[in-house]
Amino acid sequence: MELAPRQKRILAFIARYRAATDELLRRTFAGGHRDVKFIRRTMIRLVRKGYVREFKIGKGEWYYLLTHRGAKTVRKTDQPSRQLTEQSLPT
């Protein structure tokens, strides 16, 4: 199944910055769309298709990293994003 242009841009964004949260993706890609569920649904699709991994960081808060498949799609290499550590995330 072919990825939508927005899904490809989201993967490229995650590849560039190593990680992204729902809030950051909503602000960047939802065009001011206030429905948080909009981005969450998109990200669930990418998780189910195997392009990204998700990690819970709080109540209803997630961050995403590329998988091998996602990295290969965006970077033309199969090196996934490294998992973030405590020092990578704000407290």
Side-chain angles (χ1 to χ4, degrees), residues 54-72:
E54 64 182 358
F55 300 89
K56 191 165 187 146
I57 55 176
K59 184 177 180 183
E61 297 289 326
W62 301 85
Y63 76 91
Y64 305 94
L65 302 176
L66 290 180
T67 61
H68 289 282
R69 183 178 187 185
K72 191 172 183 180

Side-chain angles (χ1 to χ4, degrees), residues 32-66:
H33 197 283
R34 294 191 180 266
D35 183 8
V36 175
K37 292 180 183 178
F38 173 77
I39 284 295
R40 182 72 184 128
R41 285 190 302 263
T42 300
M43 296 313 296
I44 287 171
R45 287 186 200 110
L46 290 173
V47 168
R48 287 181 180 160
K49 292 177 183 180
Y51 290 101
V52 296
R53 290 183 298 155
E54 64 182 358
F55 300 89
K56 191 165 187 146
I57 55 176
K59 184 177 180 183
E61 297 289 326
W62 301 85
Y63 76 91
Y64 305 94
L65 302 176
L66 290 180

